[in-house]
Amino acid sequence: MAISMHESVDLGRPGETPPPGAAKRRSPWLGQHMGTALIAAAGGFALGHWAGNAIAGNYENVAGSGQNNVATVLALSFGVLGWLIGSGALNYPLAKLVGKEPAPEIEEVGWGRYFRFTLDHKVVGMQYIIAVLLFLFTGGLLAMAIRTELLSPTTHYFGPGTYIAVVSEHGTVMMMMATSVITGPIAGWLIPLMIGSRRMAFPRVEAFSFWMFTAGYLVILTALPFGGFPTGWTGYAPLQTQAAGGMDSYLVGFAVVGIGMITAGFNIIATIINYRAPGMTWSRLPIFIWSLLAVASLLALATPTLVTGGLFGILDRTAQTAFFVNEHGGSSFLWENLFWFFGHPEVYIMALPGFGIVGEILPVFTGKPLFGYRVGAAGMLGVALLSFFVWQHHLFQSGINPDMRPLFMLTTELISIPTGFIYLTGMGTLWKAKIRFEVPMLFALALYFNFLIGGITGVFLSDVPVNVTVHGSFFVLAHFHYTIMGGLIFAFFGGLYYWLPKMTGKTLNKTLSLVHFWMMFIFFNLTFFPLFIVGLLGQPRRVFEYAQRLQGLNDFSSISAYLLGASFLVFTANFAWSLWIDPKPAPANPWGSRGLEWQTPTPVPFNNFERIPVILADPYHYGEENPLPVADLGVPVGAGVGSGGSGGSGPSGISGTTLIEGGPGDV
Amino acid sequence: MSAQQTSGAGATEPRHGMRLLAMWLVISAIADPLFWFLAGPHMPPGDMTTTASGAQSDFNVLMMAALPVTLGVWLYYGYAAVMWRASRGGSDLIGGPKARSNLRVQAAWIGTTTVVVLAAFVYGTVELVVPAGAGGGEGPQPIWTPTSKTILPIQVIAQQWKFSYRYPTYGGFETDQLMIPNDTTVAFHVTSLDVIHEFWAYQLEVKADANPGTDNVAFTTTKVLGNVTVRCSELCGIWHGAMFNFGHVVSKSQFQAWATTSEAKLAPVTKLLPAFSWSYTPDANGAAGGYYPDNADKYNKIETYGADKVSVADTKIKSS
């Protein structure tokens, strides 16, 4: 390993379990946790606000507005810093800076650990699950408000300023949530278990990503008390430069979430490359891990553009630079380019993990190996690579580089080819299969159904002549909800239903799960399909007034949206009921999966694997007479454990040599 | 979709591939003509202009490919859900190398999707270049221009939160009425005074971003008389949803009468406006509400894009 985590960290030294009682265990509530983080964040906010007013108190961006962007930006930045300090995220680097040796981290138990800065990727994963659900439901409530306003073309429930603030907040919250909805919780929980590692490469960085993500949530929420922002999630300048205080929350919030995304991306890349167990060759890597490798490369390479763009925006609004100000030599096209140079890879950040999850689910419930594994993995990398070359298709009618439109039309349509690979793997796996329609499988099949509509309408959007009709209309809105919600969010819930029994050791109520699925699937389609027609008939996005003749379709969509929202109440009830109120223990391997993560005990021990496993086969040997065992979980001393990039010492404990097999027959 | 047919069939197994192929051909043969003849002629944005009817036929052509692809994939999933359920029993031994990959199927799939995608690209490019940008914004120096003998420039000025129009060949008067002569090629010069807007003349099939300080040109040729809905389709602030107005395609003589009358009637107002320019810069003291014409010398020439005349009547080019 090029970067040493240093010996002080007991956690994750492969081959060693931390000696029990090595460090004194005390109540988690005495140390730093989310409460102290909140207090420090509030203190930082107040300090920053005071400092901003002291520096630039005589300057108001909009005369008479009473808002000072310097104070707002400093308040938010110091607030985030306070959040990190208060949570303990900076203890280790700060201690190192002053030459002290930080106290070793130990395994934490009990409820308190879920509110603390912790290095156990499984705890961070559970923290992430709750956080993304909170994010998702916040955005969902805002969506309900939007659909309520659109019940009538002329009667308004909100003023135009409130409405546009709600629309912008909904879009931004959802996009921030979607960047991490799988790469945070499910991937954070699973990557080490799937590749046979005891931890992520950089456990502190993983926890840091989570605390940045939650800080971003708090920052974007502050937009509402500041009066919201009017730009939508795209934040186009000069409207951005002109907007009031909520815009600062958008710019700082995206930068904060962006930094969390970049660190998460590098961490995932480092983990997958370096922390695979011996025998976990590239051709045995689960397809979900391939999708995460593709996503992580996008997180690491595309997100810096967003952070930079956000910084330019902040400087324009505070230090009066002119990056996006046409009159002073800047260009509003610069923001459009920077934003979409991030924004389109972002779309695939949100699509690819979903493909990875269904790629894991399908073989289990068809009893067949994944068809065209190599093609599927290549498809994901191909999509990731091409996603950097398509961003100007968002700007076809903008007047930038009009002669480049055929090129961007070509690159955009070329993405259909690797995306088609992913359908090929799905369809090939179903061929003459033995399908079990369990809840995760239903979500996986729903992804293929929904994403097909999203993908095909994407081809219409990529066609420049047709784009003239549909650009900026509800057609676009329906299209990307079909890809992000119909794809990613369905995959996320499929993944939750599939892995929660492993993560929590508890069984989710099947009836409620089925009710949730069918409500979500039916009302998702009934909400968004009519919006394609609404868009074709001429309704632009983000409007609160529309043609009278479109009221029928809009109302249909709104009522379906309420029922779609209700489906998440069913999920929440199921989640709370099955995990806390009336928990029922889950079987060790309820779906009969051969995945490595299912071969560990439940609950998964602190260090995941007592011995670093030796991987013997890929996890897709379903439907074979004498399938190879997936891994040797306990190997004799000196059998090569510790090689293969796991970067640690050899085994020191003693364990039996059990060959673990999985399969539908072993439930 | 040809990819599904290639896997072999067992002795007792039905020939799934052939069945699927047959069903797919049947539903495609039903769906495509049904759409083409029943829905196609009514698809937005109608046929009021050349670009509108062009977009309509492009949409319908894409639909001819999209329907069989979508229905084929759905058919496959539906067929699998019915035929290949675990509850139907059968051998458990369905894995092994043959289930893992099939070179012919994979090659056929990749080949087919590549051909379809490249065909869509070639078709889209032709349909973009030949109708001079297909009504989309082409920036200040369009490279694909119409071939008509007459071209009427209309400037669209977007600002928070309204559209107004200047007619440079009629003395540069400004109005919030959008009047367009029929059977005429129009060059819309779209610009903004503040933030980014988008001029979307729905029935005309014209859409171009209004960028401050930029002249974004889009072409179309009117064919049918009627009303036009203009909406802003780029979020521009709180009243974005209320930023719309209506235009009219009228006969050439009606237009000529309206334009000359307006020119005369509005002459005193026109004198007070900033000199006609292809874009305008807000006064540095923006609160005062003044606008400077941008680069007036450079741009005051009215681009004809190769046409002989720049208006409906034989009005001479009046540069401001």
Side-chain angles (χ1 to χ4, degrees), chain A residues 291-312:
Chain A
S291 79
L292 290 172
L293 190 62
V295 171
S297 64
L298 296 180
L299 287 170
L301 295 174
T303 322
T305 322
L306 172 76
V307 178
T308 312
L311 179 64
F312 289 173

Side-chain angles (χ1 to χ4, degrees), chain A residues 372 427 434-435 469 471 536 623, chain B residues 76 84 86 89 95 100 202 207:
Chain A
M427 293 166 74
K434 294 169 74 69
I435 305 173
T469 314
H471 170 80
L536 279 174
Chain B
Y76 183 87
W84 299 321
R100 283 177 171 261
Y202 177 70
K207 189 176 274 171

Side-chain angles (χ1 to χ4, degrees), chain A residues 531-553:
Chain A
L531 297 181
F532 283 117
I533 303 166
V534 166
L536 279 174
L537 291 175
Q539 184 170 326
R541 287 170 67 185
R542 298 148 163 177
V543 296
F544 59 92
E545 289 192 342
Y546 55 89
Q548 290 278 2
R549 67 200 165 95
L550 297 179
Q551 186 175 6
L553 282 167

